[in-house]
Amino acid sequence: MNAVHAASTVPDDAYRAEWLDFEADPGPLVFLLGCQRSGTTWLHLQLARSGAFRFLSAWDVQNFDTLVHARRSGSEGPQREAFARTLHAAAQTRGIDTIPADVDTPEEYGLVIGDGTLRYDRPDTNAATLPRLRTLCAKKALLDGRARPLLLKSPPDHPDAVPLLRSAWPTARFIAIQRHPLRTLQSQVLAWRALALRRNPYLGVVDAGYRALFDDSARRMQFGLHLHSRAGVEWLARCILRAHTSFMRMQDEWRDASKLLVLRYEDLCADQPAGFARIARFVGATLPPPAQAPAPREIGLLPEVRDVFAAHRAAFAPYLQRFEYDEEVPA
């Protein structure tokens, strides 16, 4: 149901009057920004586990059109147990990282508001999908209250959808994670190649766009071959560069510093307590120590990744300089 947002009746439609007021005021919102494979998923998990935030879970994604009905009808418990069994039979982790796969795994709102296609280089939030995101925030406020901030993450929205998000929710706060683009590129190449090579069981359950890719064997093969080519690595590098360039331009124009916190993934890895103290001050919450240390996979660089990044090093230079990254490419 999440892949098609038609006007067909769904069980939660009967409860719409209950959440309408929350669409105007869903409570405090905190958006996590950053490129895919830049540390957003790890930080999302740690903040969700802290108890200081509300968050979107795999359960919420899979059952978005029936969330209120399940709660009101008393069927939520048995349905959650059934979904837990489905996930457990599919996978123990998300596969592309060590994040546990269960009903409460923090997930991306793009999986709810997207159009059912493979998500990467187009923003999830636009004029057509914003109403769906408003409904998501309102349902979470209705079911979970508004006392704690709602934590929201969807990397395709970084950074081009941020102006729309800021306009829709002027009081929202944004945490932007930076990572050395060479490592981000390496991680994206490895992850996307693995996802195209064999079906990821967890994503096969929660991500309609990924399921569609694997249901089309010719398209999947073409996508996989592209990712193993120089052109495919170039495409990923250009997407990362475009995101970084757009973010810096947006950062320069950002007028309210109290609404944007910029962190480096490398600094979070080196000193978690200091990083979480900054986040706690920013959102005005008390955070316990993070439950899990970050585990970046600093494996040897693929030759094609090193060569593509070297070819684009001059274009990346302003970003590297702003965030104090080494500009040299390892031999």
Side-chain angles (χ1 to χ4, degrees):
M1 207 39 124
N2 0 334
V4 180
H5 313 323
S8 57
T9 300
V10 296
D12 275 4
D13 286 349
Y15 307 88
R16 182 167 178 78
E18 293 190 44
W19 75 70
L20 272 179
D21 289 345
F22 293 110
E23 289 194 353
D25 181 13
L29 305 180
V30 176
F31 288 89
L32 294 183
L33 306 177
C35 291
Q36 287 186 4
R37 315 302 293 178
S38 63
T40 56
T41 299
W42 169 81
L43 183 58
H44 192 202
L45 176 68
Q46 301 313 308
L47 294 179
R49 284 178 170 177
S50 72
F53 298 89
R54 297 171 288 141
F55 62 94
L56 190 72
S57 68
W59 160 261
D60 296 326
V61 167
Q62 191 71 5
N63 300 277
F64 180 73
D65 289 323
T66 62
L67 287 178
V68 182
H69 177 71
R71 181 75 58 87
R72 295 287 187 265
S73 67
S75 62
E76 181 177 6
Q79 289 179 14
R80 280 177 62 91
E81 291 175 5
F83 184 48
R85 289 193 294 271
T86 298
L87 285 178
H88 182 75
Q92 303 302 304
T93 71
R94 293 186 350 133
I96 53 175
D97 47 42
T98 59
I99 305 298
D102 57 44
V103 291
D104 292 317
T105 297
E107 267 306 343
E108 300 174 4
Y109 59 82
L111 296 175
V112 170
I113 71 173
D115 60 5
T117 60
L118 198 63
R119 302 162 48 246
Y120 177 69
D121 60 344
R122 292 180 296 113
D124 290 318
T125 307
N126 53 47
T129 61
L130 181 61
R132 180 95 165 165
L133 183 54
R134 285 191 184 277
T135 298
L136 182 159
C137 294
K139 284 188 182 184
K140 293 297 289 183
L142 173 66
L143 296 175
D144 301 339
R146 293 183 289 188
R148 296 172 298 159
L150 177 60
L151 189 65
L152 295 162
K153 171 212 166 194
S154 223
D157 271 358
H158 170 74
D160 292 340
V162 174
L164 181 58
L165 297 174
R166 293 181 68 191
S167 177
W169 294 285
T171 62
R173 296 177 185 271
F174 297 82
I175 300 173
I177 307 175
Q178 312 302 319
R179 188 184 185 188
H180 196 298
L182 177 58
R183 290 299 177 184
T184 301
L185 177 60
Q186 165 94 348
S187 188
Q188 285 195 13
V189 169
L190 292 174
W192 277 112
R193 286 179 177 179
L195 290 173
L197 180 63
R198 58 179 58 88
R199 190 182 188 95
N200 178 287
Y202 174 76
L203 292 182
V205 173
V206 303
D207 189 335
Y210 183 70
R211 286 197 302 274
L213 175 68
F214 260 79
D215 288 343
D216 186 337
S217 57
R219 177 175 163 235
R220 179 176 70 88
M221 181 175 295
Q222 182 181 32
F223 185 56
L225 290 172
H226 180 61
L227 291 170
H228 280 80
S229 70
R230 169 84 181 213
V233 179
E234 288 269 3
W235 169 62
L236 291 173
R238 288 194 301 271
C239 288
I240 294 169
L241 176 61
R242 184 171 65 249
H244 287 338
T245 302
S246 296
F247 175 77
M248 288 191 297
R249 184 167 54 249
M250 182 181 67
Q251 185 185 23
D252 290 339
E253 298 170 353
W254 202 290
R255 295 292 175 249
D256 188 352
S258 69
K259 299 295 193 299
L260 176 65
L261 175 65
V262 181
L263 302 168
R264 296 197 327 168
Y265 176 64
E266 293 83 358
D267 296 335
L268 284 170
C269 292
D271 191 345
Q272 287 180 279
F276 274 65
R278 289 186 64 193
I279 295 171
R281 290 192 298 269
F282 177 68
V283 300
T286 300
L287 298 177
Q292 180 179 346
R297 302 174 181 178
E298 303 292 7
I299 61 177
L301 291 171
L302 298 173
E304 60 267 38
V305 169
R306 184 184 60 244
D307 293 346
V308 165
F309 186 79
H312 291 274
R313 180 170 49 191
F316 276 109
Y319 176 85
L320 297 171
Q321 292 165 8
R322 175 170 298 197
F323 296 104
E324 300 180 349
Y325 284 121
D326 186 356
E327 295 187 35
E328 295 303 313
V329 180

